Amino acid sequence: MITRETKVGELLNNPIARDVLAQLVQYAGVNEKIVLNPIVKSLKISALPKFAGKALPDADYVIDTMIDLFNQEANTKQPSKSNAHYWWKEAVVYQIYPRSFQDGNGDGIGDLKGIIRRLDYLKELGVDALWLSPIFDSPNDDNGYDVRDYRAIMTEFGTMADAEELIREMHARGMRLILDLVVNHTSDEHEWFVDSAKNPQGEHGDYYIWRKPKDGGHPNNWHSFFSGPAWEKVDTRDEEYLHLFSKKQPDLNWENPKVRDEVCDIIDFWREKGVDGFRLDVINYISKTSLEDGSATLGGLLQFNGIEHYFYGKRLHEFLHELRQRSFGDAFTVGETPGTGPEMNKLLTADEREELNTVFSFDHLENLGKNRFDDYRYNLNHLKKSFSRLEGEFADYAWPSIFVENHDNPRMVSKINSNEEYRDILAKLIAVVLLTARGTVFLYQGQELGAVNVNFHDMSELRDIESINKYNDLIACGKTPEQAWQTVLGGTRDHSRTPMQWTDETYAGFSEHEPWICVGDKDACNVAAQRNEETSVLHAYMTLIQLRKEHPTLVYGTFEPFESAKEDVFCYYRDDGKERFYIEINLCERAVKQPNTKGKMELVYSNYMAQGDGLQPYEANIYRVLR
Ligand code: GLC
């Protein structure tokens, strides 16, 4: 057990503490060596407030909260390694944002019929499973991440019959379907919430998190991820409800067993329809350890007050295990878990614990100390460091999800280097990293074409609630419209939400009708053109997906870093005793010296047409080692 008498250095023996320290390093961008300096390590925790002085005004509070968190797993048995083979470890999963993939009925909004039309394309690409962002009935405050009815299809997307047809058509092609289950919150238009707001004593009165206002203010100081306080009033109740996201996304009260019964029923409903797996939206937020105020210091660092009370809540493991036992069974589960670290992920995903199969963690998406809205160029050495840890020391326990793009992030190529000259090379470099990785690979629509960020002109072109609220917030904080726009433009989630570019027609072959959001650079980048071009990014993806399928070494083989201390190159072997591959990647924009390897090798893939003496800018090669 950790107490105030424990020395800082000893904290590193506690897995949860190791994760939290790593997170703080990630957010603050401070050098680990400062935290681990021998003087700091020899201090007792109780001495820290004096040491930190004014820099940590609420140090005592932070320390007590953290000690509780670290002790949460004090008696937990560390999981053992597992090398079991499952379909979902081998799968290449393709994420579809249904609103933007293919319009099938000419209203400018993508739909299920549209997806069915494109299944042959996806089969040809070689992907094994599709994850669809939410398709349930929703008022679309957050594009479906606010569900009004979990058993009905969003009107714009089609009907239940379309969903059933999609499942049939996918299964007929040997593909699996993963649905996006959003159960940390519902829409405020869900019938449970409507009733909960009206009847505090009624059946649904306790389905959400309601608290009385405190001293004339909100029940606590937590922030919403979509700007402003995380609490909102209704006219019909004298309490406020918690919403970690928008006001129209009230958080469910998972402490109430009836809520958990409802969630199990929803999972059963979709499993009976033949769904093969679930992506669980912000699933690590479901257990709120307490509703106390968040630390102002941590809030300043993480940009949102309160996170320490729910990002790894006391009952999280229990709730997930319950869902698995009662409903998920052998359906595949991938949890979206912002903020959890590798040690926590081990506990969330170890086979023997029967909670989730894998999780998305996000630390690799931004460089240390940076966030999505910062204006900076992503340094690929950070990706190397993050993936090396995940695929190396952790993958035996916690099978990682490997991805760099999704519907919440700008395009990776643009983050690394927006120079057009490197666009295709970089897109292929990313393909090499992903498709030779030890983990389940997730691709996001358009990534297989080398999609880049969109040249939006002003706020009128953005649709995302996060961007709109952020812009208004920045203006309210005194930023000029130009400053606010530049910030939002850098990080807006809409970069990845514009229509899939099938052709160079007016609406990119996505629709005959003007789409709900503008179209990107369809002339430079579209499926029709890339299909005919053997050196295209699309062909690179097809080739590499096929390579992965033919060589399970690339899925299950060990990950052995080579010359890992060398900056700007990322080299590793993948080996399963039967085959051995060597991957070498230049992570920077200049040519670099090639690390010396021994033994004979045969080149199986390169993102350059011809090899030179060293590695050319962003060159990425895959070799088979000949024994
Ligand atoms: C997840 C989703 C994101 C959504 C949020 C609230 O992070 O990926 O799109 O806005 O949860 O549901």
Side-chain angles (χ1 to χ4, degrees), residues 142 145 182 185 226 245 249 279 281-282 336 407-408 493 497:
D142 186 20
Y145 284 92
V182 188
H185 45 268
F226 290 165
F245 293 88
Q249 293 168 296
R279 178 261 188 190
D281 192 65
V282 288
E336 187 206 19
H407 64 294
D408 290 331
R493 307 192 294 182
R497 296 178 177 188

Side-chain angles (χ1 to χ4, degrees), residues 95 97 131 133-134 142-146 180 182-185 225-226 244-246 249 279-283 285 336 338 362 406-409 464-466 493 497:
Q95 183 192 352
Y97 199 63
W131 148 27
S133 278
D142 186 20
N143 286 358
Y145 284 92
D146 47 324
D180 207 322
V182 188
V183 286
N184 172 68
H185 45 268
F225 290 106
F226 290 165
L244 293 181
F245 293 88
S246 93
Q249 293 168 296
R279 178 261 188 190
L280 303 166
D281 192 65
V282 288
I283 199 67
Y285 294 174
E336 187 206 19
F362 295 90
N406 62 23
H407 64 294
D408 290 331
N409 282 281
D464 180 21
I465 177 157
E466 182 201 51
R493 307 192 294 182
R497 296 178 177 188

Side-chain angles (χ1 to χ4, degrees), residues 15-218:
I16 304 300
R18 282 204 294 278
D19 271 3
V20 170
L21 288 178
Q23 282 293 314
L24 294 179
V25 166
Q26 165 79 29
Y27 283 104
V30 291
N31 191 323
E32 266 162 320
K33 289 188 189 123
I34 299 177
V35 185
L36 301 180
N37 141 332
I39 302 178
V40 177
K41 280 171 88 175
S42 68
L43 289 174
K44 282 186 181 165
I45 295 178
S46 55
L48 286 179
K50 259 188 255 144
F51 205 72
K54 286 195 183 130
L56 260 183
D58 56 0
D60 283 311
Y61 175 76
V62 174
I63 286 170
D64 290 337
T65 311
M66 286 299 137
I67 289 179
D68 280 353
L69 180 66
F70 299 160
N71 284 333
Q72 217 165 281
E73 307 293 355
N75 299 317
T76 306
K77 179 174 156 282
Q78 279 304 301
S80 39
K81 293 186 178 182
S82 157
N83 213 355
H85 291 198
Y86 296 106
W87 71 263
W88 49 264
K89 288 191 174 176
E90 293 156 29
V92 175
V93 184
Y94 184 95
Q95 183 192 352
I96 287 183
Y97 199 63
R99 218 177 176 70
S100 302
F101 191 62
Q102 175 67 60
D103 179 9
N105 66 349
D107 63 356
I109 298 175
D111 47 42
L112 300 184
K113 281 259 189 266
I115 298 173
I116 295 170
R117 227 173 83 194
R118 296 296 185 179
L119 287 180
D120 288 335
Y121 164 77
L122 295 162
K123 186 72 195 165
E124 186 188 345
L125 175 60
V127 298
D128 307 285
L130 301 181
W131 148 27
L132 305 190
S133 278
I135 55 170
F136 315 110
D137 174 47
S138 163
N140 281 310
D141 191 51
D142 186 20
N143 286 358
Y145 284 92
D146 47 324
V147 179
R148 186 164 46 200
D149 182 350
Y150 294 90
R151 292 178 183 77
I153 301 297
M154 194 190 296
T155 326
E156 299 96 305
F157 289 179
T159 61
M160 190 58 84
D162 295 337
E164 287 160 355
E165 185 186 342
L166 175 67
I167 296 172
R168 268 197 315 277
E169 289 293 329
M170 285 184 62
H171 287 170
R173 288 169 177 79
M175 296 167 100
R176 290 179 160 103
L177 178 63
I178 298 167
L179 287 188
D180 207 322
L181 197 63
V182 188
V183 286
N184 172 68
H185 45 268
T186 68
S187 161
D188 66 339
E189 296 181 30
H190 194 291
E191 61 182 18
W192 302 333
F193 187 81
V194 174
D195 187 43
S196 191
K198 273 201 225 125
N199 299 309
Q201 306 309 328
E203 191 191 340
H204 303 105
D206 198 25
Y207 266 42
Y208 295 85
I209 301 174
W210 295 94
R211 288 292 180 279
K212 291 237 156 60
K214 205 173 65 185
D215 311 325
H218 296 295

Side-chain angles (χ1 to χ4, degrees), residues 298-422:
L298 293 176
L301 186 62
L302 307 174
Q303 300 201 325
F304 301 98
N305 283 348
I307 298 180
E308 67 274 21
H309 296 294
Y310 59 77
F311 87 104
Y312 189 67
K314 271 212 166 76
R315 300 187 68 189
L316 176 61
H317 291 295
E318 177 195 334
F319 293 159
L320 293 175
H321 185 64
E322 181 181 339
L323 294 190
R324 169 80 163 256
Q325 296 275 303
R326 293 177 59 189
S327 292
F328 284 133
D330 62 359
F332 167 62
T333 52
V334 50
E336 187 206 19
T337 56
T340 60
E343 299 285 356
M344 299 173 184
N345 295 344
K346 255 190 198 173
L347 297 176
L348 289 166
T349 61
D351 260 1
E352 70 206 50
R353 292 177 50 93
E354 300 189 329
E355 295 181 21
L356 301 170
N357 292 141
T358 179
V359 293
F360 291 124
S361 58
F362 295 90
D363 293 345
H364 61 283
L365 286 188
E366 305 297 341
N367 286 168
L368 294 185
K370 300 291 182 199
N371 75 57
R372 174 156 52 92
F373 290 97
D374 286 334
D375 182 16
Y376 77 103
R377 244 202 198 190
Y378 184 90
N379 181 337
L380 277 168
N381 284 289
H382 179 62
L383 192 76
K384 163 186 167 180
K385 198 168 167 205
S386 311
F387 278 7
S388 298
R389 277 189 87 197
L390 288 182
E391 297 180 44
E393 63 190 282
F394 283 102
D396 290 341
Y397 304 91
W399 186 256
S401 294
I402 298 291
F403 72 100
V404 293
E405 289 189 8
N406 62 23
H407 64 294
D408 290 331
N409 282 281
R411 297 290 186 175
M412 195 64 184
V413 170
S414 303
K415 276 164 64 168
I416 301 167
N417 192 333
S418 54
N419 184 342
E420 267 297 307
E421 187 186 339
Y422 296 122

Side-chain angles (χ1 to χ4, degrees), residues 267-278:
I267 297 166
D268 294 345
F269 175 86
W270 284 104
R271 283 208 71 193
E272 274 162 32
K273 293 228 177 274
V275 163
D276 305 283
F278 299 88

